[in-house]
Amino acid sequence: MTIAMNTGTIMDTAIHMPTELSPAQLMLLTQWLSPSFPVGAFTYSHGLELILAEHPKTDVEAWLTQILRHGAGWNDAILLRAGYLGDAQEADALGRALAPSKERALEADAQGTAFCKALTGAFAIDLGQLIYPVAIGAAAKTKNLPLEPVVELYLHSFISNLIGAAQRLSPLGQTRAQAMLTRLGAVCEEVAQETRGLTLDDLGGATWAADAASMRHETQETRIFRT
């Protein structure tokens, strides 16, 4: 996990910004991004349910790599940074506007709402109502958590949840799933590094198949996931 920060970029030049997670901060961030934190992440498949139903032999690792590099992973990292360094309300509004489907908007909104509600109840942090990646960034700022590990661990949590969904949808065993998560963890680090210094102007994606899958999942007759 990268904890050193690049202070030469436009967005990462804040004075006195922390550069390392303290043990207490690491515990807090781990708690927020844990599967046990009540955001309901396990109920979302990001369109993967539709894809594996129609194409059972899909290369899940390749699919998720593209999601990280060119889809929601990339955009979420930028939105998280904006929630931390910029105007959270602006980032929230743009993130909602750019959601490629009803289900993807639901995924971001419902998890963000649940996260903000839990923060208010358990930590007395009132962020209002923000989509999930923006809420993570804004919450991290309130606790002065260093930005880089927050981005990396958010992406790791995101992709870990989707691997868990794949396990329920396909014959992907625990050992193979953990090996896959290890490899994709390295991709999470790369995406975090590549999005340093980027702004909301850099939002964009090229995962049309995943976007279409999330649209078509809305009418999938038999399903166990919300997206």
Side-chain angles (χ1 to χ4, degrees):
M1 177 174 60
T2 302
I3 56 178
M5 297 184 58
N6 179 355
T7 56
T9 57
I10 295 174
M11 291 185 67
D12 290 344
T13 55
I15 298 174
H16 304 310
M17 185 178 290
T19 59
E20 296 184 1
L21 282 167
S22 70
Q25 288 176 324
L26 177 59
M27 292 292 286
L28 177 62
L29 184 57
T30 300
Q31 180 179 351
W32 284 355
L33 296 176
S34 165
S36 66
F37 204 78
V39 298
F42 64 92
T43 64
Y44 304 96
S45 82
H46 208 75
L48 195 58
E49 182 171 26
L50 185 284
I51 291 300
L52 289 175
E54 294 187 346
H55 306 283
K57 295 184 178 181
T58 296
D59 185 333
V60 173
E61 184 171 345
W63 181 272
L64 296 182
T65 298
Q66 295 305 306
I67 295 294
L68 280 172
R69 292 192 183 280
H70 306 296
W74 175 270
N75 286 329
D76 279 5
I78 294 174
L79 289 168
L80 191 159
R81 291 180 182 280
Y84 187 104
L85 294 167
D87 184 336
Q89 295 300 325
E90 179 187 9
D92 177 79
L94 188 55
R96 292 176 188 276
L98 293 179
S101 69
K102 178 180 178 181
E103 286 200 349
R104 290 282 298 282
L106 166 69
E107 188 174 314
D109 176 69
Q111 289 189 74
T113 298
F115 180 76
C116 291
K117 181 179 179 180
L119 280 188
T120 301
F123 299 93
I125 299 173
D126 185 4
L127 299 177
Q129 188 170 345
L130 300 169
I131 59 173
Y132 192 41
V134 178
I136 293 288
K141 183 63 175 178
T142 68
K143 293 297 184 179
N144 206 33
L145 304 184
L147 179 56
E148 296 313 317
V150 174
V151 176
E152 290 179 15
L153 290 177
Y154 170 85
L155 292 173
H156 189 275
S157 176
F158 167 70
I159 215 66
S160 176
N161 177 68
L162 294 187
I163 290 174
Q167 286 183 272
R168 282 173 276 171
L169 295 166
S170 66
L172 177 63
Q174 293 182 351
T175 300
R176 286 179 58 207
Q178 289 303 308
M180 183 184 299
L181 181 57
T182 298
R183 292 188 293 270
L184 289 174
V187 180
C188 291
E189 289 189 47
E190 292 171 4
V191 171
Q193 292 169 5
E194 290 165 6
T195 56
R196 289 185 184 185
L198 300 188
T199 72
L200 295 175
D201 291 337
D202 297 296
L203 289 170
T207 52
W208 298 289
D211 295 343
S214 71
M215 298 175 194
R216 295 172 54 223
H217 184 265
E218 296 174 14
T219 57
Q220 186 173 343
E221 186 171 344
T222 302
R223 59 182 187 174
I224 61 176
F225 292 92
R226 297 185 71 187
T227 66

